[in-house]
Amino acid sequence: MTPFEYSPESPLQRALNRLDRLNWQMGGAFLWLSNACLLAMLALTTATMILRPMGLAAYWIWPWTMVFFIWLSFFGFFALYARLKDVRVDFLAERMGAAGMLVTRIVSDAATLIVTGVLLMQVPKVIATSTGIYDGATMPTGVELPRLALSLPLFISTALVALTAILDIAKLAAGMPENVTDHHPEI
Amino acid sequence: MAWILFGTFIALILLRVPISIAIGTATVLTFLTSDFSTALQIIPQQMLEGVNKASLTAVPFFIMAGNLMNATGVTERIFAFANALVGHLKAGLAQVNILSSMIFAGISGAAVADCAGLGAIEIKAMRENGYKPDFAAAITVASSVIGPLIPPSIGLVLYAFLAQQSIERMFLAGLIPGILVGLALMIYVRIRAQFQEFPTQRRATVREVAGTAKHGFLALVAPAIILGSIMFGFVTATEAGVLACIYCILIGIWYKELTFRAFFAALSDTAMMTAVIMIIIAFSIAMGWLLAIDQTPQKLADFTFALTDNKNVFLALLLVFIILVGCVVEGVPAKLILVPTLLPLIDAYGIDRVHFGIIIQLGLLIGIATPPMGIGLYIVSEVGRVRFEKVTMAVLPMLVPLFAVLILLTYVPQTVTFLPDLILGPQN
Amino acid sequence: ETTWKMATKMPVDSPEGQVFQKFAELTEEYTGGELKITVYPNEQLGKENAVLEQLQANIIQIYAEGYSYMKKWEPALDWTTPAFAFDDYDHWVRFMNSDTVKGWFDNAAAQSGVRPLGDPTRVLRGPFRVTVSNVPIETADDYNGLKLRMHESKSAIETWDAIGTEVITLPWTEVYQSISKGIVQAVNSPIALVEAMRFNEVAPYITRMDEYWQSIGFMVNEQALNALDEETRAGLLKAYDEAGEMSQDLMFSVADESIKRMVDAGATYVELDTAPLVETMKTYYEAQDAAGALPEGLLSAIEETRATPQ
Ligand code: NA
Ligand code: NA
């Protein structure tokens, strides 16, 4: 069930559902950021193949392809979490019935908060040490992309993933079902 | 340390935790209990290292090519051609299922595109012809193992990077093993048809074969174009992936079967699949850093050497170990942890790295068809509407031909190294 | 008793790997076992920027790699190996030990706590630069229009642009393929890597052109260094000095043997007169300096360390 299929009853549920819908749409926005990065990679690599025989391939194309690849992965982290595109093994939980689903829901949220918590606590250190530039990723201004710009999407996604897990715990407390899709994830 | 890592990971996976979070939690907990619990900044730092790998940029495009083929109806054309060719044999549609996978393998780099896209067509056709759904689903999973052996292959791109081998060499090395798996499954089906009644179809006329070949011509030459362009053309592996995607798009436009909607669905699926893989890689690289700084590979090598110095015994142990790991850990994280850990041993026993690459590739691939983590089983039980347990039971006997090929590849290294040595020249 | 972790990119059995191994052994010997060094080869702990950050955090204590990566703390350190700026090797050594370059290292150390262990030119890399091509290069003019592979560095690209080559950027691992497919005609490389990368198979013309000289920086964490007692530090520096000497002998003998093998297999080896290139680059550097693109003091340090006629 997605937040758009759920009908809230109490004011608390209504408020949480509104947040959940917002989060769901945010996940969609990040999916599109990932898509845009993938399209950029496709376009840049195609351009390289066309321009190279003509001797026109610019040196910054490849570094930027790498930057988009990194961003694709990091923006995707939140998208795949919020939109339930990750791989989840549910046969054991289903076998254990409602209790199984409840316990695994809590375990999942807890695990998510451990990972994201540890990652977010490192943000100050990473900002302090990620000095320098990404070689060759020249921007129109002539300066090269700061290295820090590579990790920022990871931290933004991580923060949003953490919020998603917190939201799910709040939903659980308010007696609301977790988001599920019948999409069978692919890897 | 390894116990915390694998124990946490497997437990969390079985508790319905998303795989990227499961590997992340396992990594974080292992760090917290190690000597480096105060150096946690290593985790985000190595995550960036993990995704900042030039050779892995091929990954999304080999995924996308498979998705685009499913979106443009190319997959149906491949199936129709295979059906005209071998549909009249005993258990014909089962043979068609295997042959289709072999052709599809030449364009797609992932097993799941086979299970999800081609698989849906195969299982539907088999059900309509009177095959038992669990058998149809099972042969679909078993034959999807061919996909990541026959080039292009995401797993082999990853291995080439980890073991410092050229992608070209790994791709060539996978070709014969991939065909062998296909043949082994075909022989298995043929033998089984000797004892068991399967639905039959009439033989296609030469005209029909020619018709489907023409109908699917553009699709059928794609594998040759992709492999050929990597081997002899002017492109890198990543560019070959892009070329494959552009080719699929152009076919879609030519056949007027590619809609914007389908294109963007394929794009989104690709982005998400890539992100899952890359986030897993990112956490695994962080984990790999810890294993490296703890000198786990060297310790393991010393331990194993104390056990046996016989290469054949070692290979047998290795096979059992890889298969066990493959049952519980998905191929990408398994490779990321195992390959750097095992390489010192592989070198010490004098095993060719290309040879080892194919052993570990097939060994881990079989895991997609075994419980509890068989991703392939989940997908086909979904697209084929069969119960997970029933597919699992039906696929068990099909593991026999897969294991047979794996043992053959392990003890006859020439089956792997012959083709790359022939075309690229022997290594060193 | 202390154990230091030392990261390198190089495999254990490479000449550089052997030097590092020797350094580890000598350190243990000369410090009376007080300091042990564990070498982590093959980029096991990550790529340059990641390893430098680990060095900064004292998670590892030595990183053996080119100094140019310290540019993340002091951008001028990208200029320790300007192309065709020096008359000869000794000129470069004097430059690297000049007050200007010392100032750069000090500035990097002030920000990061990471600095060179000793004389920054002591451990040799390369030991010299060659162009490997599928067409002969006998004079500086032969570079005109040559399709040359380059890494994604703006300054390297501009340099070889100024020399007249047609620069094409490619990953290092794709060079062999790209030469055999005609995407590029030539690649610049330290001589030590030519045979290992099998470049000579597709590009049999090997031209020594001494683009620049390279050393392997032994970058250390200051905090870890200061924690050692005086005696141990002296032992460490002695080991560094001897490992440096070993590198000088080993690199050249390995290079000579490799060249001989490649020539026997059909390659051609020549040494280029680089004076015209130094002349070309001088004009280029002056223009760059006028445009403010060079670090302050670079050109004057190069001039001041030029040999004065005796
Ligand atoms: Na394939
Ligand atoms: Na199949």
Side-chain angles (χ1 to χ4, degrees), chain C residues 143-308:
Chain C
Y143 278 115
N144 268 325
L146 184 77
K147 283 197 277 182
L148 178 70
R149 176 269 169 188
M150 196 58 55
H151 59 287
E152 290 100 359
S153 150
K154 209 171 154 207
S155 59
I157 292 164
E158 286 180 0
T159 298
W160 286 91
D161 233 19
I163 288 169
T165 60
E166 185 188 320
V167 173
I168 293 164
T169 53
L170 285 173
W172 176 249
T173 46
E174 278 164 18
V175 171
Y176 180 96
Q177 284 276 324
S178 304
I179 296 179
S180 70
K181 290 167 185 170
I183 295 171
V184 294
Q185 296 171 293
V187 59
N188 293 338
S189 162
I191 183 70
L193 294 182
V194 175
E195 207 182 5
M197 299 298 292
R198 301 185 306 159
F199 290 154
N200 55 312
E201 289 174 13
V202 287
Y205 298 97
I206 303 166
T207 308
R208 173 170 176 172
M209 45 65 170
D210 291 329
E211 178 184 11
Y212 47 75
W213 288 271
Q214 277 174 295
S215 58
I216 305 165
F218 276 40
M219 296 167 255
V220 291
N221 181 292
E222 269 184 327
Q223 197 190 329
L225 189 65
N226 294 338
L228 301 176
D229 61 53
E230 206 133 311
E231 216 172 317
T232 310
R233 213 177 308 145
L236 175 68
L237 281 167
K238 189 171 173 214
Y240 173 69
D241 198 54
E242 270 183 37
E245 189 160 319
M246 173 189 170
S247 79
Q248 310 256 348
D249 297 340
L250 184 69
M251 292 296 167
F252 274 101
S253 66
V254 167
D256 288 345
E257 284 161 24
S258 168
I259 291 169
K260 184 170 182 308
R261 271 193 306 273
M262 290 189 287
V263 168
D264 287 347
T268 309
Y269 175 75
V270 295
E271 291 176 7
L272 189 74
D273 173 20
T274 55
L277 296 175
V278 175
E279 208 47 47
T280 306
M281 287 309 292
K282 209 168 175 181
T283 324
Y284 169 80
Y285 285 132
E286 275 157 12
Q288 288 286 302
D289 199 34
L294 299 188
E296 207 176 317
L298 172 70
L299 290 192
S300 53
I302 292 173
E303 282 313 312
E304 281 159 19
T305 50
R306 218 176 270 284
T308 41

Side-chain angles (χ1 to χ4, degrees), chain B residues 9-58:
Chain B
F9 180 59
I10 293 164
L12 290 178
I13 284 290
L14 291 176
L15 289 171
R16 211 167 55 96
V17 175
I19 189 167
S20 60
I21 299 294
I23 187 135
T25 313
T27 303
V28 164
L29 290 183
T30 317
F31 259 89
L32 285 172
T33 50
S34 74
D35 296 342
F36 296 91
S37 55
T38 54
L40 296 174
Q41 75 267 30
I42 293 292
I43 300 174
Q45 180 204 68
Q46 292 293 313
M47 288 180 77
L48 175 58
E49 285 286 287
V51 296
N52 186 10
K53 304 275 188 217
S55 57
L56 297 184
T57 52

Side-chain angles (χ1 to χ4, degrees), chain B residues 105-106 108-109 147-148 150-153:
Chain B
S108 165
I150 291 181
S153 160

